[in-house]
Amino acid sequence: MGPTALQQEAKAENMDWSPIWISMKTASLSIFITFFLGILAAWAVVLIRDGRLKMILDGILTLPLVLPPTVAGFFLLYLFGVKRPLGKFFLDFFSIKIAFSWGATVIAAVTMSFPLMYRSARGAFEQVDPNLTAAARTLGMSEWEIFRKVLLANAIPGVVSGGVLAFARGLGEFGATAMIAGNIAGKTRTLPMAVYSEVAAGNMDAANQYVLVIVVIALISVMLMNWAAMRTENRRR
Amino acid sequence: MENSGNEALLEVDIRKKLKEFSLEIRFSCGRGCLGILGPSGCGKSMTLKSIAGIVTPDEGRIALRAPGMRETGEQILFHKAQKINLKPQERRVGYLFQNYALFPNMTVEENIRSGLSSHAQRKGFGGGKEKPMSREQQNARVDEMINRFQLSGLENRYPGQLSGGQQQRTALARILAYEPQVLLLDEPFSAMDTYLREGLRLELAKVLSSYEGASVMVTHDRDEAYQLCDYLLLLDNGRVLTAGRTREIFQDPGTCQAARLTGCKNISSIERLGAHQVRALDWDGLVLTVEKEVGPEITSIGIRAHDLEPVSDGEGINRIPVGNPSVTEMPFEWYVTLENGLWWKVEKTIHTHSSAGVIPEWLVVQPEAVLLLRDE
């Protein structure tokens, strides 16, 4: 074993696991929030009959997807900064400083992954035969019942794949996170941040390891959700 | 439309602007089935959806009446002027969709049960809300429907695993379990293979005749309309062409469009030659004697293919020369287009492939079989 190999081994042992832990926490909590928010928003937009209102609302809800992440992050900072209305509100009333805290990574991930969830869910809802919802209404089912038993139940594959996309987006979130949460080691340094930092510092080996972890997590989650979607489909054939 | 000797249970008088035309329809119907017959896209389905509350008309009124109550017990489903527009959930209307709209994620049993748990939404006559059904009552109702529609053994199947006929029975079971005040049937056989239709029509006829309330069926198939509907309303481009008893409308459709909708293929404009004699301008000036008097409003005549009979010679009234016809072979019929343009058909067996000897030189039509038609 040459000296370089020894050095590498030492580095690997000293590898900072916190970005993995932080990313897992952020991605899990944010997909949980995004999943429900996205589905509810999609339901609300599907129920709106007024075409113009629908278009405007859809535009606003999709905005983070089409904006550069740093610009979205800029807006978040504008809202949640310590001297900004929302940030000040949280600081004054709950003594919580949002910007550059761990919570900020969740806010960034939710904001950026929300449009993917919302759009996938809306698409999936609109694919459901409108006669099914009409039939449900004539059978006296309440709108909430129709949402659960008819709309959501028949849109599951589309909704789940939207969830996969949103999870991946949340896990990979970089730009907006950098703006509002920063890159504080052990606090807001998520995996993508860690990869960036290590490469910037010239530690390619450490970066390699983080990259490997990201690839494995992403692959496993995508396959798990695909498998779940396939199973619900097969059951009814 | 007046159904003599049958009190009105459903009254509809609505107008709605659609993309191509505006729908303007008014009718009332009592117990028994009213058929709305018309070409595709004439506003038939829109009428049913308005009654069910799935779409909202621009103007007008829709009202339901409980059987046996003449004055009281009227329930307004929609009234533009009074700003009444009940939600579909509150209308208690049974809607059989073209594709049956069974919930693919629910089993047969769950589909039938789906309308039962939500009785709290339903308004009875007089506006009071009904009590929700207990679990035992629901089970009893579901069992009753499964037996009545011969679905036992299929309770745990999903709709995707059922045949077309089983799907239709499940859809009917789901609707009738809910005890609707009116039945709406939207092209009930259009999603069905031809060989299944005959049997299912008989099944549906049984359901309709045992149903206490009013039912409205939309179709573009004249056989379906004739077999299942006591009364008929012909609709074209959003307007009512004619309405009345089904048999009477088939016997005397009155207008060209109505004749076409009831399946009359031979229609010609005419020149009036006398009170009972006309010249058919589209059939090489064929002169025909008709039984009814030809009034000034009569612009055309119609002859149903079935009313043309072969005859040996050209002596006598209403003899029609066959000339040099074009003949098309179908499995059980010859389609014959006469030289003068009239269309006729002759029955044959599946083993016959030659029309030699089948086509006569002359046809005859009885004067009473010639339909006198107005332009609309």
Side-chain angles (χ1 to χ4, degrees):
Chain A
M1 240 186 255
T4 42
L6 268 175
Q7 270 173 356
Q8 273 183 8
E9 204 168 86
K11 247 182 206 161
E13 271 166 18
N14 292 337
M15 186 179 138
D16 183 6
W17 289 88
S18 73
I20 300 172
W21 175 232
I22 290 169
S23 257
M24 292 295 278
K25 277 199 302 183
T26 303
S28 319
L29 183 58
S30 64
I31 189 58
F32 185 77
I33 297 169
T34 303
F35 194 73
F36 289 105
L37 280 185
I39 287 175
L40 289 176
W43 182 38
V45 171
V46 165
L47 280 185
I48 291 173
R49 286 194 178 186
D50 181 354
R52 196 182 297 173
L53 183 64
K54 206 173 191 155
M55 211 177 67
I56 294 171
L57 209 60
D58 183 76
I60 294 170
L61 294 175
T62 310
L63 206 56
L65 185 69
V66 290
L67 283 178
T70 46
V71 174
F74 177 84
F75 280 121
L76 286 179
L77 202 56
Y78 205 84
L79 284 173
F80 289 102
V82 185
K83 287 177 183 162
R84 292 294 168 189
L86 274 173
K88 200 165 159 35
F89 173 80
F90 275 101
L91 194 61
D92 290 353
F93 287 88
F94 304 102
S95 306
I96 299 172
K97 192 170 152 267
I98 289 180
F100 304 104
S101 69
W102 174 73
T105 66
V106 177
I107 290 177
V110 167
T111 309
M112 300 311 292
S113 60
F114 171 84
L116 283 170
M117 187 65 227
Y118 152 73
R119 286 195 83 84
S120 308
R122 187 182 157 191
F125 290 161
E126 282 169 351
Q127 288 288 307
V128 174
D129 180 1
N131 280 350
L132 291 185
T133 41
R137 288 197 181 104
T138 59
L139 286 166
M141 289 164 76
S142 67
E143 292 298 329
W144 174 240
E145 231 182 325
I146 294 170
F147 170 65
R148 284 185 304 126
K149 292 185 182 170
V150 179
L151 216 48
L152 196 55
N154 286 297
I156 279 290
V159 169
V160 168
S161 69
V164 174
L165 289 177
F167 177 77
R169 184 69 187 79
L171 189 67
E173 171 37 41
F174 183 87
T177 311
M179 294 293 286
I180 190 181
N183 185 7
I184 306 164
K187 197 173 169 197
T188 65
R189 181 173 291 175
T190 57
L191 274 170
M193 289 291 177
V195 171
Y196 173 79
S197 306
E198 296 297 349
V199 171
N203 303 329
M204 294 306 280
D205 296 325
N208 264 341
Q209 306 209 348
Y210 289 136
V211 165
L212 198 70
V213 173
I214 286 199
V215 169
V216 168
I217 296 175
L219 208 59
I220 290 177
S221 52
V222 169
M223 288 194 317
L224 263 180
M225 292 198 191
N226 277 347
W227 174 76
M230 226 159 64
R231 234 182 44 154
T232 46
E233 272 292 272
N234 285 342
R235 196 165 53 92
R236 290 174 206 147
R237 287 230 175 91
Chain B
M1 193 185 83
E2 66 297 326
N3 297 0
S4 46
N6 195 349
E7 58 178 319
L9 298 177
L10 170 69
E11 284 173 30
V12 175
D13 178 8
I14 50 171
R15 284 162 295 287
K16 183 172 177 66
K17 238 181 119 50
L18 304 175
K19 260 186 207 143
E20 310 275 319
F21 53 85
S22 61
L23 174 69
E24 234 174 89
I25 188 167
R26 179 212 295 255
F27 63 87
S28 69
C29 60
R31 191 171 186 276
C33 185
L34 167 75
I36 301 182
L37 181 65
S40 305
C42 71
K44 293 171 298 184
S45 293
M46 202 51 84
T47 307
L48 287 198
K49 289 193 168 131
S50 301
I51 299 172
I54 299 166
V55 297
T56 309
D58 298 334
E59 270 175 82
R61 174 178 179 276
I62 302 169
L64 271 180
R65 208 162 292 183
M69 283 192 246
R70 201 159 269 281
E71 293 308 322
T72 55
E74 190 185 58
Q75 187 186 22
I76 310 277
L77 301 185
F78 174 78
H79 198 309
K80 181 73 182 178
Q82 291 178 14
K83 295 195 173 136
I84 297 174
N85 186 13
L86 291 191
K87 286 188 273 181
Q89 281 96 330
E90 299 169 336
R91 293 193 182 196
R92 274 185 75 174
V93 152
Y95 199 120
L96 185 70
F97 286 84
Q98 237 177 80
N99 59 359
Y100 309 130
L102 293 170
F103 305 127
N105 56 314
M106 297 184 199
T107 62
V108 167
E109 194 199 320
E110 287 163 349
N111 262 288
I112 298 174
R113 194 186 291 277
S114 60
L116 297 180
S117 53
S118 33
H119 274 212
Q121 294 254 339
R122 307 187 351 173
K123 276 189 183 161
F125 285 108
K129 291 201 172 179
E130 288 183 16
K131 272 192 207 156
M133 276 176 125
S134 72
R135 193 76 190 169
E136 291 73 43
Q137 285 171 313
Q138 286 183 28
N139 289 342
R141 178 72 55 78
V142 171
D143 286 346
E144 180 195 330
M145 287 299 149
I146 283 175
N147 283 330
R148 178 170 165 197
F149 287 96
Q150 300 140 46
L151 292 164
S152 18
L154 304 173
E155 294 93 334
N156 296 319
R157 299 266 190 103
Y158 288 95
Q161 302 164 329
L162 299 178
S163 73
Q166 290 164 342
Q167 286 183 16
Q168 192 183 62
R169 292 208 295 269
T170 308
L172 280 169
R174 178 175 78 176
I175 290 165
L176 292 175
Y178 180 65
E179 293 189 312
Q181 300 177 117
V182 58
L183 263 186
L184 306 173
L185 313 158
D186 191 352
E187 304 260 9
F189 305 104
S190 62
M192 201 73 72
D193 291 326
T194 329
Y195 69 95
L196 282 171
R197 281 189 200 168
E198 284 303 319
L200 284 166
R201 264 192 227 156
L202 289 177
E203 271 183 33
L204 189 60
K206 254 189 264 168
V207 171
L208 287 176
S209 65
S210 67
Y211 183 66
E212 292 291 321
S215 40
V216 182
M217 184 175 103
V218 144
T219 177
H220 65 264
D221 183 306
R222 69 195 150 91
D223 291 350
E224 256 168 60
Y226 194 83
Q227 184 183 355
L228 296 170
C229 307
D230 311 302
Y231 297 90
L232 212 54
L233 187 136
L234 302 189
L235 197 65
D236 195 11
N237 269 322
R239 279 168 197 283
V240 179
L241 292 176
T242 176
R245 285 183 182 276
T246 303
R247 283 178 194 160
E248 286 163 15
I249 286 185
F250 271 79
Q251 273 159 27
D252 183 14
T255 66
C256 295
Q257 293 104 309
R260 246 177 242 121
L261 282 173
T262 56
C264 178
K265 294 215 171 54
N266 295 315
I267 293 173
S268 164
S269 52
I270 54 157
E271 178 191 337
R272 184 177 183 273
L273 299 177
H276 295 278
Q277 206 169 50
V278 296
R279 185 195 301 280
L281 300 174
D282 299 333
W283 301 329
D284 290 348
L286 183 73
V287 175
L288 292 169
T289 303
V290 301
E291 192 189 50
K292 283 191 206 156
E293 193 175 326
V294 184
E297 75 284 1
I298 303 298
T299 57
S300 307
I301 55 167
I303 301 176
R304 294 188 190 277
H306 281 105
D307 290 327
L308 293 167
E309 296 158 41
V311 69
S312 54
D313 58 69
E315 299 302 308
I317 60 159
N318 290 359
R319 299 293 152 113
I320 303 165
V322 173
N324 184 22
S326 69
V327 182
T328 312
E329 184 182 342
M330 299 305 279
F332 303 105
E333 277 153 350
W334 296 107
Y335 284 2
V336 184
T337 307
L338 275 48
E339 196 173 336
N340 62 13
L342 270 165
W343 188 84
W344 182 49
K345 60 184 177 184
V346 197
E347 290 198 2
K348 74 176 190 66
T349 68
I350 195 74
H351 308 293
T352 326
H353 300 295
S354 161
S355 62
V358 178
I359 313 295
E361 283 187 28
W362 295 90
L363 293 176
V364 66
V365 60
Q366 299 309 317
E368 63 269 22
V370 179
L371 307 171
L372 299 185
L373 306 171
R374 306 181 301 275
D375 270 345
E376 208 224 333

